[in-house]
Amino acid sequence: MLHDRTEPVTTTLSETADDDGLVTSTVRRTVLPSGLRVVTEQMAGVRSASIGVWVGVGSADEDETLHGCSHFLEHVLFKGTGSRTALDISVALDAVGGEFNAFTAKEYTCFHARVLDQDLPLAVDVLGDMITDPLITPEDVEAERDVILDEIAMHDDDPEDVVHNLFAAQAFGADTPWGRPIAGTEDSIAALTRDQVAAFHRDHYRPATIVVAVAGNLEHDRVVAMVEESFARNGFLDRVEAPVSRLGGGTLVPVHGGTAQATRPFEQVNLVLGMEGIGRNDPRRFALSILNTALGGGTSSRLFQEVREHRGLAYSVYSFAAHHADTGLVGVSVGCLPAKAEEVLQVVRAELALVARDGITAEELARGQGQLRGGLVLGLEDSGSRMSRLGKSELVHDTLLTMDEVLQHIEDVTVEEVRAVAAEVLTRPEVLAVVGPA
């Protein structure tokens, strides 16, 4: 959507001070006329800076002919630009001791780096160069095709990857973007052409779909100036457009019950038992997080105690809650010996039914609140975690909650709210994926 704004708009989103009144964190946001968003958190007392370029496109945006293209493009952007070879890109960050990587998800792709604060201009420039001026040569596409096929083979040798991909395929449909594996398949990757990859970049890597998130020892205005300079290559910022976010609110993605099985020469049986969850902006997500913690979020959880400690049925057992814009999944993942698989399923189903009927106790609520509180605060002690929080909040959430607001939402959850969400979610149609020996 075009608009007529011609000047950047900057807003202070939050400011945090310590007990002595000294500011320890300031979060600011600038929207450029092109729609590109720059969100920063100035952190006191650190010497690092982390940057992430979050692009609002992922595997859920691919049709059948482009399956795996988001992930393929993520790889190819490291292969060189008009001014840097692939080696130049690697050397630039290695020479300053930086950390540099990327990943692709269902709804976004992220390129990220962590460096000393003095080397932030270099990191911004390298990432801006990769995003705006990639070569995407036929030779690089062919070379990276083999790398991705090796990566797919590696995931196919990992029991947990296999069972979770099978679970998603059963839940959403193997022929849908949500049900297909993010990396693609051997056939889909073999079929992708250089022109398709280049067109995907041209169509989806636009300023309006991009959030540049930076956290650490920085000055917001300087970061904005760096971004404006490094992302200006090839007239990338010339288009005037409103920002595009992935807030959801569209057609709900249906989840289908049923059982899917696959045979692999593994020593264990790996299984995932779950059902439809809730979207990521659903206000009940805080209650579901505490429910997830009580069920299988740690060594004191019900499933860990019952499946592993009391019965010795499995070494690994945990629960999860995955939230997306217009859908979600909850489930339990277990790896066990083949002879114990049926008993494991009986125990897991019994625990889920018990919680769906009775909810959790006040003690479990308090323990879950404490576990979430500690995990959140400890997880945000480094600039990389702060950067990720900024990028995802700007791109896929309807607002950026301060840490105090998040903690308050957790503290406000009641036993009754957890019981209500358990009664609704855990009684939905069951999805089961099983992977193991014949």
Side-chain angles (χ1 to χ4, degrees):
M1 182 176 65
L2 299 180
H3 59 77
D4 58 2
R5 182 172 50 76
T6 58
E7 296 295 329
V9 176
T10 300
T11 309
T12 299
L13 300 180
S14 69
E15 191 168 86
T16 305
D18 62 18
D19 293 339
D20 296 324
L22 296 175
V23 175
T24 57
S25 166
T26 303
V27 178
R28 299 180 71 195
R29 174 184 189 255
T30 292
V31 182
L32 301 180
S34 61
L36 189 145
R37 288 151 285 177
V38 182
V39 188
T40 71
E41 181 171 7
Q42 186 172 2
M43 301 168 60
V46 300
R47 284 299 315 275
S48 69
S50 294
I51 175 174
V53 179
W54 298 77
V55 187
V57 64
S59 63
D61 301 293
E62 301 164 354
D63 62 27
E64 188 174 1
T65 63
L66 292 173
H67 181 203
C69 198
S70 301
H71 179 250
F72 204 130
L73 180 58
E74 173 217 313
H75 277 243
V76 172
L77 292 193
F78 283 86
K79 301 298 287 183
T81 71
S83 59
R84 287 182 172 95
T85 65
L87 181 59
D88 291 336
I89 291 171
S90 298
V91 167
L93 275 298
D94 283 349
V96 297
E99 302 168 359
F100 192 35
N101 215 328
F103 63 88
T104 304
K106 294 286 188 182
E107 297 172 279
Y108 48 79
T109 307
C110 179
F111 302 81
H112 55 95
R114 183 169 179 258
V115 293
L116 294 177
D117 50 12
Q118 68 196 43
D119 298 315
L120 180 59
L122 172 65
V124 174
D125 191 62
V126 170
L127 286 170
D129 193 16
M130 290 170 54
I131 297 296
T132 63
D133 191 28
L135 294 179
I136 315 182
T137 67
E139 295 78 15
D140 289 338
V141 168
E142 290 309 312
E144 210 57 29
R145 191 190 311 276
D146 289 337
V147 173
I148 294 169
L149 290 173
D150 283 343
E151 184 179 352
I152 291 172
M154 178 187 71
H155 288 303
D156 204 42
D157 285 337
D158 186 317
E160 192 159 357
D161 284 348
V162 174
V163 76
H164 278 273
N165 281 338
L166 188 64
F167 178 72
Q170 176 60 42
F172 296 117
D175 58 347
T176 69
W178 287 96
R180 293 192 289 254
I182 291 171
T185 64
E186 288 187 19
D187 289 342
S188 72
I189 296 304
L192 279 174
T193 67
R194 183 267 170 194
D195 288 345
Q196 285 177 306
V197 176
F200 196 85
H201 175 267
R202 184 174 60 252
D203 293 342
H204 294 285
Y205 278 56
R206 311 190 322 271
T209 68
I210 293 175
V211 173
V212 179
V214 191
N217 186 22
L218 55 84
E219 294 179 12
H220 178 82
D221 292 340
R222 287 191 60 202
V223 172
V224 172
M226 294 176 207
V227 170
E228 287 183 302
E229 180 179 358
S230 62
F231 280 75
R233 294 175 174 88
N234 294 326
F236 188 74
L237 298 179
D238 290 351
R239 181 170 179 169
V240 178
E241 191 175 359
V244 178
S245 295
R246 307 206 59 149
L247 303 183
T251 303
L252 290 176
V253 180
V255 172
H256 311 286
T259 300
Q261 294 181 291
T263 300
R264 290 289 192 282
F266 300 145
E267 295 297 322
Q268 281 190 319
V269 168
N270 286 81
L271 59 90
V272 176
L273 176 69
M275 57 280 299
E276 180 182 353
I278 61 177
R280 63 167 163 260
N281 287 315
D282 191 309
R284 298 172 297 170
R285 66 188 184 275
F286 299 102
L288 184 60
S289 293
I290 290 176
L291 172 63
N292 179 54
T293 300
L295 264 177
T299 56
S300 65
S301 67
R302 291 191 181 198
L303 288 169
F304 190 92
Q305 287 295 312
E306 190 64 26
V307 173
R308 175 170 166 168
E309 296 297 286
H310 294 167
R311 298 173 183 261
L313 293 174
Y315 175 76
S316 172
V317 55
Y318 64 89
S319 61
F320 61 88
H323 305 292
H324 302 293
D326 291 310
T327 191
L329 293 170
V330 297
V332 178
S333 181
V334 189
C336 64
L337 293 175
K340 297 182 177 180
E342 284 302 321
E343 187 178 357
V344 164
L345 279 174
Q346 290 175 7
V347 172
V348 169
R349 285 178 172 133
E351 287 300 319
L352 293 179
L354 183 63
V355 174
R357 187 190 69 198
D358 298 334
I360 64 174
T361 66
E363 179 184 354
E364 287 175 315
L365 173 68
R367 190 163 64 236
Q369 288 169 325
Q371 187 174 334
L372 288 176
R373 183 171 56 244
L376 281 169
V377 175
L378 293 175
L380 292 175
E381 287 199 337
D382 68 88
S383 61
S385 299
R386 298 286 184 107
M387 177 277 292
S388 293
R389 177 173 174 266
L390 292 180
K392 284 190 282 189
S393 293
E394 179 64 37
L395 192 62
V396 304
H397 285 288
D398 51 1
T399 185
L400 173 64
L401 298 176
T402 67
M403 184 49 56
D404 287 342
E405 289 171 333
V406 174
L407 294 175
Q408 191 60 55
H409 278 297
I410 292 170
E411 289 303 309
D412 288 343
V413 172
T414 65
V415 169
E416 290 73 22
E417 289 172 334
V418 177
R419 181 180 293 116
V421 77
E424 178 179 344
V425 172
L426 298 183
T427 55
R428 289 171 175 169
E430 178 183 289
V431 183
L432 174 64
V434 182
V435 175

